[in-house]
Amino acid sequence: MMGETSRVTAFNTSNLRTMPIIVIGALAAVICTIALTGWVLWDSRQTAVSDAFRDSENLATALEVEIRHDIETCDLSLTAVLDGLSLPETATVSPVIRDYILFDHSARAPQYGSIFVLDRHGDLKIDSRGRTPARTNFNQRDFFTAQRDNGDAGLFISNPSKGDNGDWYLMMSRRVVNEDGSFGGVVAGSLRLSYIQQIFSSVAMIPGSSIVLFSTGGKIVARAPMGSNDIGRDISNAPVFKHFPAETFGHYEDVSSVDNAARLYVYRQIGGLPLIVGIGIPKAAVLADWGGKAVFLCSLVTAFISLLGMLGWILNRELQRRGAAERVALESEQRYRLLADHSSDMIVLARGGKRVYVSPACDRLYGYTPEEMKGTAIEAMVHPDDIPAVQRAREEIEYCSEVLVTYRAECKDGHYVWVEASWKKVVECGTGRTDIIIIARDITQRVKHEEALLAARDQADAANRAKSAFLAQMSHEIRTPMNGVLGMNQLLLASGLSLDQRHYAETVATCATSLLQILDEILDESKLEAGMITLETVDFDLAKTVEDAVTILGPRAEQKSLTLDMVLAPAVRGWFHGDPTRLRQIVLNLAGNAIKFTDEGRVGINIAVATETEAATTLRFEVSDTGVGIAPEARSRLFQKFAQADVSITRRFGGTGLGLAISRQLVEMMGGTIGFDSEPGKGTTFWFELSLPRAAAALSAPAVTEQKVIPPNQRRSFDLLVADDNKVNQQVARLMLTHAGHRVDVVDNGLEAVKAVQRKTYDVVLMDVQMPELDGVEATRRIRGLGGVWSRLPIIALTAHAMAGTDTEMLAAGMNDYLSKPFDAATLLSKVERIVVSGGSIRSQEAREDEDNNIASGFDATKLATLRQLTGPTDFEPMVTSFVQALQERVARAVELANEGKLPEAGREAHDVVSIAGNLGAVKLVEVARRLEVDARTDDPDLIRLLAAKLRSETDVLLPKVERFTANAA
Ligand code: ADP
């Protein structure tokens, strides 16, 4: 736990530190990006501007060279004229030679005008083109006055002036100096401005740009683009003059006075002449390209910063989340530590089998301090007997995440405490190291309580067993006198009684029967409570089981003039595997209630198949009535013990309030569900659903449970032995049996019974189970132990024990059947007769087995036995022989007809086979013949051929059995 803590803390701190670093880093990156971008933009802008300046300067230089060249060319012409005028011959030669001397070297390119010479008064003396201008005196013109008034004027360039032809010119003049140095006149020439204009216009410029040639005095000489009044316009206030004449060339930025837009300006003086060429470019146009790039770059940077920002935000959020989680972890760790430190349970962190952290609770638990326990092995202090359990836990924790182990541990003072420890494996992420957190608590008190509880439970179990034994005893004790009461009463009823006496005796019978029913219910409930009811699993005929219940309830329904119906869906007919006795009991309970709580109308028992799978069939039983119904408020308590829906109704109808509770428990024991629907005043439907597997016997032996009744005229008297210690019951049994014509001997206990059977041959022994000296079970064992005929002597147990397992115990002891006390005469006699009829008074075990085999293989020997009873031994054999002959003939005929494809005829033969085979007890044969009879109506010759063949093979199987039975009977 300590290790955990430091790990978590370190993680926290690093995270907390990381965050500002990341934020600062991100901010620095953003700032650097912005700064770099700004610098790049600024630099590229400067480059664009300086490129524009440089290009303009280059252009200005080129223009300056061109203009200076033109002016110099013109000046050279003027100088050549001056040189010519200085020659003395010039004055004497003819004008033609003079002009030749003077103007032969003059420039004749179209941009130049004529050169003319003016005298000292400004009068035109010579014109290079021989023309006479309109004006002949130019003494007012600046190019004349400038030379006249200034002997050092040099080359004078005038302001632009319009020629007579309307063209603009730039006049240039030089002074003619006489030999004496006085002013002799002026030689003047001109440069056509349209030529310069043309050059300017031919330059490809950024739109909005301008080229201007202007005089140092601020007059425009030429301009592109040219405005109508541009030439001669005064621009002496233009910003260029802030720089000129300090700098004869240069550039600057300013706002245009024309359109107020920022411009880049370049100017250059033309040589040493009073002319300046200037170029102005709109700054916006210069920066247009740069602007596009700048926008693109800015977008890129913005996107980058946004991305960075987004990443930063995500990172920040993640860090915050982590921070929060870590804070929570830290808090929770602190809380856990607090909990661990203050928990009353001892908390241990074990690593490599050693305790590395022990919470202070160890002091309370073991009396040791945490320091004393730290470093000790997990097994230390564990009681030597419990060390294997702890070691097992250590092995288990390798595979499971959690293990619970209980052991005794020795405290510091030497006494032992019981400890319950919950071990939890924790795997540290990253290292994969496995630690175990152990939470141990003192459960000594709990163990003591549990031991006390176990002792109490054992006592309770013992008490319960005692109660059950008591109940069994009481049942026996009560049933024994009840047998007397009911038996004697029955005998009394059978005697000649007056009407009143009969009424009294009948009332006694009713009351005694009710008492017995109450007794049965209380006993059943006690048995269920004690878990003493075990379900039987035998093959049984469902229809027969339910019919039994209907037969029992029939008289009660009749007494109340109620209709009692039983509707069985065809699919429920057949044999099932389960407990028929308990099933019948449930039906009896529900249907008995239905009859009890119905004054008029009907009670119906419906059985249908809810679902059917290969493994089991879910049967739905419904018992409906048209009785008083059940109030909604009583619904919830109805299946509880001793619960009754309505006290007043119950008072009217009577009852213990146990029937439904018992039914529910039985249904649930069988894995089913039970419930009901009811409408007060209209009636109730109780239902239950059970899943029962179908039994194989259902297909082949539907007749085996048929009651074997001896026709009254065929009854014979048997020699019977009754063994019972109770005098009243002895008397009841004897009277019941002697009344039926049997001869009865009575003995008081098992020992006497064993002796009696050796003295005389009895048809049946009726053996009470609980007797002094030797009980019925032991007596039966001894009789069977005698061997010979005694091993086959029919013994019926008479028992007042209604406890589970009694029947099995009795059958195991060798008894053939049993009868619960109290019994009535009819049941007693039927049991006796049945046991005799089912194979003779002394049936060998082999004979019984043979019969069982027969039944299983489709032959019910009881049919022939009954036939024998009915016909007597003399007529029996010939009758069987005639049956066998008839059967063989019919079967052979059926096979023949089937092979010939005469289906209806074969069906008719099969019909005859059904009745003959039925008399012989040939169950399987009857089944095949019936199928043939039915299927013969369909047009399927192959099937009929097959069934006919089966008919023959079944007959072949049957005949030896019939023969054997007849031989045995003879
Ligand atoms: P008992 O019938 O002995 O009183 P049960 O447990 O069999 O005990 O039934 C409990 C109560 O349920 C009955 O007292 C009765 O009030 C009610 N009850 C059971 N079946 C019906 C029915 N078919 N119609 C009306 N009420 C019924």
Side-chain angles (χ1 to χ4, degrees), residues 517 521 589-598 623-625 627-631 634 637-647 649-650 653-663 678 683-686:
Q517 196 189 341
E521 283 188 356
N589 271 346
L590 300 183
N593 273 349
I595 294 170
K596 185 159 76 171
F597 293 103
T598 306
V623 178
S624 52
D625 63 56
V628 293
I630 296 166
R637 57 171 198 272
L638 221 54
F639 287 104
Q640 291 167 11
K641 285 173 219 164
F642 309 108
Q644 295 178 321
D646 183 320
V647 180
I649 290 180
T650 313
F653 296 105
T656 56
L658 282 173
L660 289 181
I662 293 170
S663 301
S678 179
T684 308
T685 298
F686 273 90

Side-chain angles (χ1 to χ4, degrees), residues 719-720 756-763 789-790 793 841-842:
D719 285 315
L720 307 170
V757 295
Q758 292 177 80
R759 277 197 304 267
K760 182 176 170 183
T761 304
Y762 290 103
D763 289 300
V789 289
W790 293 286
L793 175 64
S841 62
I842 299 177

Side-chain angles (χ1 to χ4, degrees), residues 281-341:
I281 316 166
K283 192 173 178 181
V286 169
L287 295 177
D289 202 22
W290 170 86
K293 284 179 187 159
V295 167
F296 175 70
L297 193 64
C298 283
S299 312
L300 216 64
V301 169
T302 311
F304 172 68
I305 290 173
S306 307
L307 195 73
L308 212 66
M310 215 159 78
L311 285 175
W313 179 75
I314 291 170
L315 197 69
N316 181 39
R317 209 181 52 165
E318 178 62 13
L319 284 176
Q320 291 217 335
R321 199 186 58 74
R322 278 189 181 209
E326 280 157 9
R327 263 195 311 282
V328 170
L330 203 68
E331 280 167 17
S332 121
E333 195 271 338
Q334 280 164 352
R335 258 199 313 273
Y336 283 133
R337 167 160 269 278
L338 211 67
L339 273 177
D341 285 353

Side-chain angles (χ1 to χ4, degrees), residues 859-897:
F859 172 56
D860 180 5
T862 56
K863 280 276 178 193
L864 284 179
T866 313
L867 192 67
R868 192 168 179 277
Q869 292 272 341
L870 290 167
T871 56
T874 344
D875 297 337
F876 176 66
E877 219 183 303
M879 184 171 273
V880 172
T881 314
S882 74
F883 278 160
V884 169
Q885 262 176 12
L887 180 70
Q888 283 174 319
E889 276 168 24
R890 295 286 188 285
V891 170
R893 186 92 190 103
V895 172
E896 211 177 289
L897 290 166

Side-chain angles (χ1 to χ4, degrees), residues 535-543 545-546 571-572 574-584 586-587 607-621 666-667 669-672 688-696:
L535 294 175
E536 237 189 339
T537 37
V538 293
D539 293 349
F540 69 96
D541 183 348
L542 179 71
T545 307
V546 182
V572 298
W575 283 61
F576 290 85
H577 203 59
D579 189 334
T581 315
R582 293 301 173 188
L583 180 61
R584 188 169 37 235
I586 300 165
V587 176
I607 310 174
V609 171
T611 54
E612 171 111 50
T613 64
E614 227 170 84
T617 307
T618 303
L619 298 163
R620 186 177 171 90
F621 298 77
L666 289 176
V667 167
M669 273 176 82
M670 292 180 190
F688 64 97
E689 285 191 354
L690 293 179
S691 286
L692 298 174
R694 284 193 184 271

